[in-house]
Each structure stands twice: as structure tokens, then as C-alpha cells.
Amino acid sequence: MTAARVEHLVTSGTFSLDGGTWDVDNNVWIVGDDTEVLVVDAAHDADAIAGAVGGRRVVAIVCTHAHDDHVDAAPALADRTGAPVLLHPDDLPLWRMTHPERSPDGELADGQVLTVAGTELTVLHTPGHAPGAVCLYAPDLGTVFTGDTLFKGGPGATGRSFSDFPTIVASVRDRLLTLPAGTVVRTGHGDPTTVGDEAPHLDEWIARGH
């Protein structure tokens, strides 16, 4: 079997919440091999994601959280690929704002292990940016997919509905900064970073209420 690898796609669209709409570029992560893959965050463009997947089997479409820019293409991609859409149940209220007529196909739970191409990804429940936000830790790949929980330069935004700054700080401190320092942080938007690069700045984030 070919070793699992990480592929990256950027899609563009909008994010809407609390009456505002913003243009955004989203990172879509495809983890797998030449036979099967797992998609992290089906953002904006099901055709582009399906094109990147090609003829490979999609074992799951994992939503790191249910803000519309991270899930807007999930049902369409599921319909095209037959893959289940997985979401932490605490984010169902946000999901229903975007997809009121369709539910996710399965739930994510803290500690759950997803396997693709012989590689395990462990679900870490990391609320704060959203109640059901999760990260996916793949130790064999030396990486963690953090959605909008941790970015290069600090934790995700907490200024809108369903979010909370002390909660995201606790999630980042207790669940992410405890990972090995060399772990590559693959984010929902923007450039990657590492746990070791972000860990020294925790007190600064808290002080400025980032």
C-alpha cells in the first residue's frame, strides 16, 4: 500500500454569520493514498474537490466545525462520492443554519479514531471557535488539522455567536500545545505552522484577548 499523504486545495467563497458576509479562502485537506482518501472540510466548491479526489474512494467528509464556509459543499460532495459527512453534534445548530433540510450522516466524538490508507486520525474536541469544533491529529504524519481552532499567530476568532475566548484558549492549551513541538498545524485558512512555533505565545494571546 502507498503511504498516506496530505494534499492541499484552496477554495474561495463567503462566510456569513450574525448578519455579516465576508469573502474567504479556505484550505481543503485531502488525506490518503492512490486508492482512498478522507476530506477535511468540504468548502465552497464540490466540483474542485471532486476533481482533486479523482477516482479515489472517499471514506469520509470530516467537518472541523459547521460554519458555512467549511460545510457549504459537503452535501454536494457526499452526493457525488457516496461518502458520509461527519460532524460533532454540538455544532448541529450551526449546521442547520446552512443545511436545514439535510443532516450529517454521522457524529464525531472526542477520542474517536478515523482510519484512511492505513493511517489513523484521532478526533480532538476543541470547542471555542464553535461548540463542536474538532481537530484531527495524525501522529504518523506528524500533523494536526485544526480547522479554525489554531492558526499561525494564535487561536481562531471568538467574536461571533456560538464562540467563546476562554474556551478556545483552554482547547488550544490543553489539547493542541501538548502535542509534539514538531507537529505541523494545518489550518482552515492561511499558512501552516507548528506546535512549537505557537506554544511560546500562549500568554501573549491571553493578555491581548486575541
Side-chain angles (χ1 to χ4, degrees), residues 83-187:
V85 177
L86 306 181
L87 177 75
H88 192 285
D90 287 356
D91 258 22
L92 282 172
L94 279 166
W95 170 275
R96 292 185 181 119
M97 293 169 65
T98 305
H99 301 300
E101 304 302 322
R102 189 202 192 283
S103 296
D105 302 298
E107 296 185 349
L108 296 170
D110 187 61
Q112 179 179 349
V113 176
L114 306 172
T115 303
V116 61
T119 298
E120 293 187 344
L121 298 92
T122 300
V123 176
L124 308 176
H125 183 211
T126 52
H129 182 69
V134 302
C135 300
L136 296 176
Y137 177 46
D140 289 349
L141 301 177
T143 196
V144 60
F145 302 92
T146 58
D148 288 0
T149 295
L150 179 61
F151 291 104
K152 185 175 184 176
T158 54
R160 302 190 181 100
S161 298
F162 301 97
S163 64
D164 182 73
F165 181 72
T167 302
I168 201 172
V169 167
S171 291
V172 170
R173 180 188 63 225
D174 300 339
R175 307 307 304 278
L176 299 179
L177 299 187
T178 54
L179 299 176
T183 303
V184 176
V185 177
R186 288 181 160 93
T187 60

Side-chain angles (χ1 to χ4, degrees), residues 36-87:
E36 63 179 25
V37 297
L38 177 149
V39 174
V40 182
D41 286 342
H44 306 307
D45 192 336
D47 289 341
I49 300 168
V53 167
R56 295 174 291 181
R57 182 173 75 92
V58 180
V59 299
I61 300 163
V62 178
C63 307
T64 61
H65 62 294
H67 283 155
D68 62 353
D69 58 319
H70 290 257
V71 301
D72 49 4
L77 186 65
D79 290 346
R80 287 184 63 150
T81 62
V85 177
L86 306 181
L87 177 75

